[in-house]
Amino acid sequence: MRFGIEFVPDTAFWQTVGHGILSEKYGFDFIWITDHFNNRNVYVILSLIANYTDRVYLGPGVTNPYLTHPAFIASSIASLDRVSGGRAVVGLGAGDRVTLGYLGVERKKPLRAIRECVEILRAFFRGERVSYQGEIFNVQSASISYKPLRKIPIYIGAQGPKMLALAAEIGDGILINASHPIDFRFAMEHIKKGLERAGKRKEDIDIAAYTSFSVDENPEKARKAAIPVVAFITAGSPKIVLERHDIPEEAAESIREALKAGKFKEAFSQVTDDMIEAFTIYGTPEDCVKKVEELVDIGITQLVVGSPIGKRKRKAMKLISEHVIPKLKEEFRG
Ligand code: F42
């Protein structure tokens, strides 16, 4: 069992870097930094964190090949691997459709784009001169003048059935953006298909629950802290996910409209208990451990604690470090 933490670099640089330094001290194995063009640049943040840490693995969680060409992802990751002394990992995904939309970038053939990007990344990481004629990418006799220090694991962000299967087939790990057992049971079915296709075993990949997590000694505070994040997740969830949790599409639509209009208070007031249960792991450390245990039984091998983490981030990280990680490590050794 491994432990990761996600940070959204939307505040001052020193703040995310400080959280990164604490994460290593608190026993996390991976730091994942989200990648959206409107936030602080993911590779700048990762390099700064690399400079002040020694052990923790670091990567974008997740970058996408529409806005950043695979060659540029390869050189950024190889550079990160060198400045971190061999600790870089790649988190790759199709990209957030809404964010890409602001720039007029269309997410065409996402499955194909991810497959091609992974093939190109691996060729660059091996230090080859790369010639690759794909449907989406065309690379002609290109090389990067330095290699990463080691074989770089590639994790793929996936929720949909086809992307889950593809991630299992070609990835070294999967980052599943969900928090509820229902979603992980669904995911495992499709992961199995991808593993079979590639002749791989479940032990060959790291299956991460990339959760929305909110912990506090006072469960009500943890619940309240989760509400804004749950509003955004509900608004962004595809119909099939809402149906899986019996959340009416109209309720999600109403939150979506309020968020779009910038009426955040109105949007947050419409978040229901069902939505909170569906889209976040929240409560006291003991409550959270129980919920994660269920996910481990289903098959996850990495817990990523993501936004909000808690009402007060540092306090929540300490609670996770003292009461969540040791308990789960003791139960799920190896
Ligand atoms: N996105 C970001 O932009 N930034 C982040 O920091 C970020 C973090 C993140 C962390 C974990 C995670 O799981 C996802 C994260 N994302 C982030 C979102 C990520 O970039 C992707 O948007 C998301 O993971 C993709 O979700 P998905 O698995 O549902 O895949 C989408 C593309 C989908 O529709 N999949 C369908 C499926 O069944 O899996 C398949 C769609 C399909 O069949 N497409 C066809 C094809 O060939 O590709 C044709 C479509 C066409 O173009 O006509």
Side-chain angles (χ1 to χ4, degrees):
M1 175 101 202
R2 297 153 181 220
F3 296 90
I5 189 159
E6 173 227 52
F7 297 114
V8 179
D10 59 357
T11 55
F13 278 103
W14 60 264
Q15 212 163 33
T16 312
V17 174
H19 289 146
I21 297 168
L22 261 188
S23 308
E24 177 167 274
K25 186 172 158 230
Y26 283 160
F28 288 95
D29 308 299
F30 288 80
I31 296 173
W32 299 101
I33 303 292
T34 61
D35 182 11
H36 295 97
F37 76 90
N38 47 332
N39 288 337
R40 272 48 164 197
N41 179 268
V42 63
Y43 295 111
V44 173
I45 289 273
L46 285 164
S47 307
L48 283 168
I49 297 175
N51 199 34
Y52 294 106
T53 53
D54 301 307
R55 179 191 56 78
V56 71
Y57 290 101
L58 304 157
V62 303
T63 193
N64 73 80
Y66 292 103
L67 215 50
T68 314
H69 191 281
F72 193 82
I73 299 177
S75 72
S76 306
I77 294 290
S79 299
L80 179 65
D81 200 55
R82 289 196 160 237
V83 296
S84 65
R87 293 185 284 133
V89 292
V90 181
L92 183 72
D96 171 35
R97 211 168 26 183
V98 177
T99 314
L100 291 177
Y102 290 131
L103 306 176
V105 176
E106 210 187 312
R107 210 175 59 175
K108 267 192 213 147
K109 297 206 168 182
L111 300 166
R112 188 73 223 161
I114 293 295
R115 186 183 285 278
E116 291 186 9
C117 181
V118 168
E119 287 170 1
I120 296 168
L121 287 180
R122 291 215 169 109
F124 276 123
F125 289 157
R126 285 191 296 267
E128 293 170 8
R129 180 162 291 282
V130 183
S131 286
Y132 186 96
Q133 179 63 66
E135 267 181 63
I136 316 260
F137 298 107
N138 177 9
V139 180
Q140 291 308 322
S141 194
S143 65
I144 294 171
S145 60
Y146 52 92
K147 278 198 330 183
L149 297 172
R150 59 192 234 295
K151 187 173 177 284
I152 303 281
I154 301 179
Y155 285 69
I156 298 171
Q159 283 73 236
K162 290 183 188 159
M163 194 63 86
L164 284 160
L166 178 72
E169 181 192 338
I170 65 171
D172 302 300
I174 312 180
L175 302 172
I176 307 168
N177 216 183
S179 303
H180 195 280
I182 293 185
D183 296 309
F184 289 97
R185 280 193 208 101
F186 172 88
M188 285 312 295
E189 274 176 45
H190 299 282
I191 289 172
K192 275 185 197 144
K193 286 182 197 160
L195 290 174
E196 269 170 33
R197 219 150 65 195
K200 281 159 72 173
R201 298 165 308 155
K202 187 179 163 290
E203 299 71 48
D204 296 332
I205 54 167
D206 187 13
I207 304 175
Y210 205 97
T211 66
S212 158
F213 201 92
S214 183
V215 66
D216 199 289
E217 280 141 345
N218 177 339
E220 188 47 29
K221 279 191 185 163
R223 201 186 81 92
K224 272 200 178 145
I227 288 174
V229 178
V230 170
F232 280 98
I233 299 175
T234 307
S237 287
K239 215 168 152 195
I240 170 178
V241 172
L242 297 172
E243 277 170 10
R244 221 185 279 151
H245 292 283
D246 288 329
I247 294 169
E249 167 63 21
E250 310 78 64
E253 180 58 29
S254 173
I255 294 179
R256 209 172 289 138
E257 287 304 314
L259 288 175
K260 245 196 228 163
K263 297 178 180 165
F264 294 107
K265 260 195 184 163
E266 191 185 313
F268 301 161
S269 71
Q270 294 177 52
V271 168
T272 63
D273 285 345
D274 282 353
M275 293 171 191
I276 297 174
E277 287 299 328
F279 296 130
T280 189
I281 290 179
Y282 77 94
T284 63
E286 293 71 31
D287 297 335
C288 293
V289 164
K290 262 193 210 138
K291 292 179 188 179
V292 178
E293 283 167 350
E294 221 177 323
L295 305 189
V296 178
D297 287 340
I298 295 169
I300 72 135
T301 48
Q302 182 177 159
L303 166 71
V304 181
V305 300
S307 301
I309 304 175
K311 184 167 183 269
R312 304 231 317 272
K313 211 162 256 170
R314 284 169 189 247
K315 188 180 161 215
M317 287 166 67
K318 190 160 189 280
L319 282 177
I320 296 168
S321 153
E322 288 173 356
H323 303 290
V324 177
I325 295 180
K327 184 82 178 51
L328 290 164
K329 271 202 173 151
E330 184 191 309
E331 279 180 55
F332 305 103
R333 274 178 215 282

